[in-house]
Amino acid sequence: MPIADTNHNFQLARKKKVGLALSGGGIRGATHIGVLKALTDFHIPIDMIAGTSAGSIVAALFACGFSPRQMQKMADNINIKDLIDLKVTVTDLMKHGMHWLFSGKFRFWSVLPNGLIKGDKLEQYFSGLWQDRTVRDVIIPLAITAVDINSADTVFFVTPVPGSRGIPNARYYYNTTLTEAVRASISIPGIFSPKKYRGMNLVDGAVKDNLPVDILHHMGADVIIAVDLGYSGQTNYEIKSVAEILIQCTEIIGREVTLFKAEPYADIIIRPPVYDISFKDTKQIALCIQRGEESTREQMGNIKKVLTKIS
């Protein structure tokens, strides 16, 4: 994708590879669509893309050739409630609780499932988007992150790239379907059941790698633009439910990891102001996209400056 810019040095910068890292963020992940809208409008090249959790959905779509405006249309029409399949109901809890009560085994935790949402409906939805395409069958190189809860290893579902290097304590899979990879990456602990894959129990990549800039570096990106939608230290008094507590815990962990990893690898970090938007407020998807686009446009001068310097 050529850069439409009259600056000769900026044209030369096109010889270098640009990577885009998209963080997790729940519903706020729609913000990534706005970021992509601004980048494509300004003809900023994206040679490879990586995503974690919600970011993995947008990354996979873009790597397959979906335009930001197509994604926005999909986001506007989606009904999240139709994609949620609860794994346990109050009736189920009462039934199992009575069983253990009368059997003399007071093990409350054993009554609870390994996740509140099965994730089967989401897999069906993803399958409708990508069919049987794998991480190899994409237009630009793609990396999606997950974590094996049993071994604590980071798992990368990644397009093979010549000359790429490995990351310690990580596993690489090159033939995984996009549906399986994204389903694994969005598996927020306690909310979604872990994704079983090749003997592993995979959970949200945000547990260890919420902003996957490191994998882009190891894939050979010369300049990395990162979009961080994670928690940035704001006080939140609206955390009341079990789901909200679990998600907040994941975001706190993700923040610490991001602060440690982002600086060495990211040349530009875009942090759209979306933390005031609830992770479950689907009515604010349009606002997320708008803020992503605005924040990226504000950074455009810095982005072009970085691209010019790497020539």
Side-chain angles (χ1 to χ4, degrees):
M1 185 186 299
I3 300 175
D5 195 290
T6 56
N7 185 293
H8 180 62
N9 289 330
F10 191 49
Q11 290 281 4
L12 289 176
R14 185 63 188 94
K15 296 177 182 178
K16 300 294 184 177
K17 294 181 180 179
V18 179
L20 178 66
L22 306 180
S23 79
I27 292 298
R28 303 180 201 122
T31 307
H32 295 312
I33 299 173
V35 172
L36 284 166
K37 283 181 68 177
L39 291 176
T40 54
D41 283 349
F42 279 86
H43 306 286
I44 301 301
I46 301 171
D47 299 294
M48 57 184 69
I49 191 166
T52 293
S53 199
S56 73
I57 302 174
V58 177
L61 287 169
F62 190 77
C64 286
F66 286 80
S67 72
R69 283 167 178 77
Q70 286 176 312
M71 294 184 213
Q72 182 169 8
K73 186 175 181 179
M74 292 166 58
D76 289 340
N77 294 328
I78 197 169
N79 188 339
I80 299 296
K81 291 181 180 178
D82 291 340
L83 302 178
I84 301 301
D85 44 2
L86 292 177
K87 190 169 185 178
V88 65
T89 64
V90 174
T91 302
D92 293 329
L93 288 176
M94 291 179 64
K95 180 177 67 176
H96 291 297
M98 293 299 289
H99 169 74
W100 270 290
L101 177 64
F102 287 108
S103 67
K105 300 176 182 178
F106 298 95
R107 298 179 299 174
F108 173 74
W109 295 111
S110 60
V111 179
L112 299 178
N114 59 4
L116 301 177
I117 299 173
K118 295 178 184 177
D120 294 343
K121 289 185 177 180
L122 272 170
E123 283 203 47
Q124 292 171 7
Y125 177 74
F126 294 148
S127 182
L129 293 175
W130 300 307
Q131 286 78 47
D132 296 324
R133 295 177 77 166
T134 72
V135 289
R136 285 180 181 269
D137 307 319
V138 287
I139 296 172
I140 61 172
L142 167 70
I144 291 173
T145 67
V147 174
D148 179 11
I149 200 67
N150 299 120
S151 68
D153 285 344
T154 304
V155 174
F156 291 111
F157 302 107
V158 59
T159 308
V161 177
S164 60
R165 295 154 288 175
I167 296 175
N169 300 318
R171 303 181 194 177
Y172 298 83
Y173 295 91
Y174 306 104
N175 296 298
T176 309
T177 65
L178 293 174
T179 295
E180 290 175 308
V182 172
R183 168 62 176 85
S185 189
I186 66 169
S187 300
I188 302 170
I191 305 299
F192 286 92
S193 295
K195 173 63 179 176
K196 294 186 180 298
Y197 183 77
R198 297 195 180 187
M200 298 179 289
N201 284 298
L202 301 179
V203 298
D204 195 328
V207 172
K208 288 185 67 178
D209 205 351
N210 191 46
L211 190 60
V213 290
D214 50 350
I215 185 63
L216 289 174
H217 173 76
H218 285 76
M219 290 169 68
D222 299 296
V223 62
I224 296 173
I225 301 169
V227 186
D228 183 11
L229 305 181
Y231 175 63
S232 56
Q234 303 94 330
T235 301
N236 187 348
Y237 294 107
E238 300 302 317
I239 301 173
K240 299 173 183 178
S241 69
V242 172
E244 288 167 336
I245 291 172
L246 290 170
I247 289 175
Q248 179 72 351
C249 287
T250 301
E251 291 200 344
I252 291 171
I253 294 170
R255 179 196 182 204
E256 297 302 309
V257 176
T258 297
L259 290 173
F260 177 75
K261 284 188 175 183
E263 295 300 330
Y265 296 116
D267 297 280
I268 295 286
I269 302 179
I270 302 171
R271 291 189 170 98
V274 292
Y275 202 75
D276 60 314
I277 298 173
S278 170
F279 73 91
K280 59 185 179 181
D281 192 353
T282 57
K283 296 179 181 179
Q284 299 298 324
I285 286 177
L287 179 59
C288 287
I289 295 173
Q290 176 187 331
R291 290 187 182 178
E293 185 172 1
E294 291 172 350
S295 296
T296 305
R297 288 178 179 274
E298 289 171 3
Q299 288 265 32
M300 199 55 62
N302 292 329
I303 293 171
K304 289 189 175 183
K305 188 180 297 183
V306 167
L307 289 175
T308 300
K309 285 182 179 178
I310 64 171
S311 59

